[in-house]
């Protein structure tokens, strides 16, 4: 397998602190019994204890194993090993280390093992129907109560709403949680913080209030919606669909190409979004979540071509999806799939908003865009238009990579701004 570039190793890191710690270990000194094959890299890293840590990396997965107690995947030892391998420090070995061979064999056995048949008892249809009726009644009452609260907010004015303490927003959100409408509750809680943090708070709050009213109106009119529209409303209010139910449903085999990925952390929940493209142009987003102290799923590398079947959640395109089985890698892709112009991205986003007015995030595979400065605002620009780059984006990395020349960039358009996730160039893909 082709050795990873330094940017690919960086993209695999779960966070900045792990990457910084790995760089300190990416020296030959602490390592022994290192080696690599077409699919594996292995080595032992001497830590503070007597016994060195045994580190193995499956390059195809990718998958990582280390005997250290870290709950991050990959840990700093696996990242350091990959850094050494990518720099050519680790040469191919004729003999795979016993610990790496054992781990690889165990993974192969698990992959070949047939799925166990479930022996769950069949639920009582009458009890299910009663529970559903009770939940719908609770949600209907909660939505109606929230609409009254919204009407009072608008009647009092946005300026008055901004003067309210955080408890004003938190109480409204708590009532929505009690009514089993958690996604709408999270929006209200977030608004309680954003109205004080944003300079353009009035425009933000007006847009949010409009979305909340639209979501609740759609919920109340759900019986007149089609299947796709009802699925979108369920997502908007937070009626989750069990992953096992999705896994056994609408599946589509690959290969799928990883367009880009991003991780976010609000202090309570970590989220990882991985955007995938099929050869026919369909785009899906794989979402992974982890609570405090938990580890997120191993990130996939931008540009990787995955031999995997994804199961798709119901809803409008681009749909959410999950990996039906652990993905395996194939030859990397260096040409951005579905590359298009800013005008076409705007048109696609407008069409999506026409179907789902509360959706805020849209994929954007941009071709031949430049990074330009407009006053204090950085923008992506092409012959058809421009978009501001979202705050916190790695603008200087984009400028350094592009050198001011046009490049292909994949990212997300959210709230009128562009968040770059990966730069696609002639011979490599750089995750941001």
């Amino acid at each position: 397998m082709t050795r990873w570039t330094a940017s690919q190793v960086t993209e695999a890191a779960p966070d900045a602190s792990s990457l910084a710690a790995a760089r300190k270990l990416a020296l030959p000194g602490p390592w022994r019994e290192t080696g690599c094959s077409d699919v594996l890299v292995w080595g032992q890293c001497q830590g503070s204890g007597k016994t060195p840590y045994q580190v193995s990396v499956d390059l195809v997965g990718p998958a990582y194993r280390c005997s250290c107690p870290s709950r991050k995947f990959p840990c700093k030892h696996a990242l350091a090993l990959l850094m050494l391998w990518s720099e050519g420090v680790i040469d191919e070995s004729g003999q795979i280390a016993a610990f790496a061979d054992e781990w690889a064999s165990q993974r192969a056995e698990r992959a070949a093992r047939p799925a166990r048949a479930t022996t769950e008892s069949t639920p009582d249809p009458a009890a299910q129907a009663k529970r559903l009726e009770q939940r719908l009644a609770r949600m209907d009452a909660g939505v109606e109560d929230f609409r009254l609260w919204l009407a009072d907010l608008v009647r009092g004015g946005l300026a008055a709403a901004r003067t309210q303490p955080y408890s004003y927003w938190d109480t409204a959100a708590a009532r929505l949680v009690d009514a089993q409408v958690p996604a709408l509750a999270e929006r209200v809680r977030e608004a309680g913080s954003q109205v004080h943090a944003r300079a353009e708070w009035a425009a933000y709050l007006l847009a949010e209030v409009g979305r909340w009213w639209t979501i609740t109106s759609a919920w109340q009119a759900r019986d007149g919606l089609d299947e796709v529209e009802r699925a979108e409303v369920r997502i908007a209010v937070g009626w989750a669909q069990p992953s096992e139910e999705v896994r056994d449903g609408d599946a589509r085999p690959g290969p799928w190409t990883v367009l880009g990925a991003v991780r976010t952390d609000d202090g309570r929940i970590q989220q990882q979004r991985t955007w995938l493209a099929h050869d026919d142009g369909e785009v899906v987003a794989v979402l992974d979540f982890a609570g405090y102290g938990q580890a997120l799923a191993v990130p996939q590398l931008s540009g990787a071509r995955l031999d995997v079947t994804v199961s798709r959640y119901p809803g409008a395109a681009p749909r959410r999806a999950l990996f039906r089985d652990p993905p395996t890698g194939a030859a990397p892709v260096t040409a951005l799939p579905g590359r298009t112009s800013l005008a076409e991205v705007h048109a696609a986003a407008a069409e999506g908003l026409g179907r789902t007015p509360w959706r805020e995030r849209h994929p954007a595979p941009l071709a031949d865009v430049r990074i330009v400065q407009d006053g204090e605002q950085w923008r992506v620009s092409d012959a058809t238009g421009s978009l501001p780059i979202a705050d916190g984006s790695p603008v200087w990395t984009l400028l350094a990579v592009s050198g001011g020349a046009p490049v292909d960039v994949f990212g997300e358009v959210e709230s009128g701004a562009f968040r770059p996730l990966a730069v696609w160039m002639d011979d490599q893909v750089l995750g941001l």
Side-chain angles (χ1 to χ4, degrees), residues 12-15 73-74 261-265 270-273 296-299:
D15 51 45
F73 296 94
V262 62
R263 286 185 168 191
T264 60
D265 186 351
Q270 300 176 80
Q271 182 186 128
Q272 178 174 270
R273 290 190 300 277
L296 275 169
V298 174

Side-chain angles (χ1 to χ4, degrees), residues 208-263:
E208 275 299 289
V209 168
R211 292 187 186 102
W212 300 342
W213 188 262
T214 304
I215 290 170
T216 56
S217 297
W219 172 259
Q220 293 184 330
R222 63 187 180 276
D223 291 338
L225 304 179
D226 62 32
E227 184 178 349
V228 171
E229 291 168 337
R230 281 196 299 272
E232 287 293 329
V233 175
R234 284 179 55 133
I235 294 170
V237 298
W239 190 334
Q241 186 171 5
S243 58
E244 288 306 314
E245 184 180 313
V246 176
R247 196 181 306 277
D248 296 335
D250 184 9
R252 187 170 191 201
W256 293 85
T257 300
V258 181
L259 298 173
V262 62
R263 286 185 168 191

Side-chain angles (χ1 to χ4, degrees), residues 7-8 11-12 257-262 274-275 299-305 332-333 410 421-424 428-432:
S7 63
Q8 288 177 306
E11 189 178 358
T257 300
V258 181
L259 298 173
V262 62
T274 306
W275 292 94
Q300 301 297 323
L301 302 179
S302 300
R305 191 166 171 81
V333 178
F410 176 80
L421 302 184
V423 179
W424 293 64
Q428 65 176 326
V429 182
L430 174 64
L432 300 171

Side-chain angles (χ1 to χ4, degrees), residues 180-226:
Q180 294 185 280
V181 191
L184 202 52
E186 187 59 33
R187 281 180 173 268
V188 175
R189 281 203 181 96
E190 179 67 13
S193 300
Q194 293 297 325
V195 291
H196 296 288
R198 288 174 175 255
E200 73 289 1
W201 65 270
Y204 162 81
L205 184 56
L206 179 61
E208 275 299 289
V209 168
R211 292 187 186 102
W212 300 342
W213 188 262
T214 304
I215 290 170
T216 56
S217 297
W219 172 259
Q220 293 184 330
R222 63 187 180 276
D223 291 338
L225 304 179
D226 62 32

Side-chain angles (χ1 to χ4, degrees), residues 91-178:
D91 295 325
E92 288 194 19
S93 171
Q95 181 67 37
I96 299 177
F99 64 86
D101 190 39
E102 180 183 3
W103 176 63
S105 299
Q106 290 172 351
R107 282 178 50 79
E109 288 174 7
R110 285 196 298 269
R113 193 178 301 157
R116 292 180 296 178
T118 59
T119 57
E120 297 178 357
S121 59
T122 303
D124 180 8
Q128 278 188 317
K130 185 176 181 180
R131 287 195 297 271
L132 176 61
E133 181 182 357
Q134 290 172 339
R135 173 164 188 175
L136 288 173
R138 188 179 299 114
M139 294 176 73
D140 284 339
V143 165
E144 183 59 36
D145 176 69
F146 180 64
R147 285 170 67 86
L148 292 174
W149 180 85
L150 266 182
D152 289 341
L153 183 154
V154 173
R155 191 177 297 112
L158 300 184
R162 192 182 188 228
T163 65
Q164 296 286 350
Y166 185 74
S167 59
Y168 169 80
W169 308 91
D170 192 51
T171 300
R175 290 203 298 265
L176 286 169
V177 171
D178 292 341

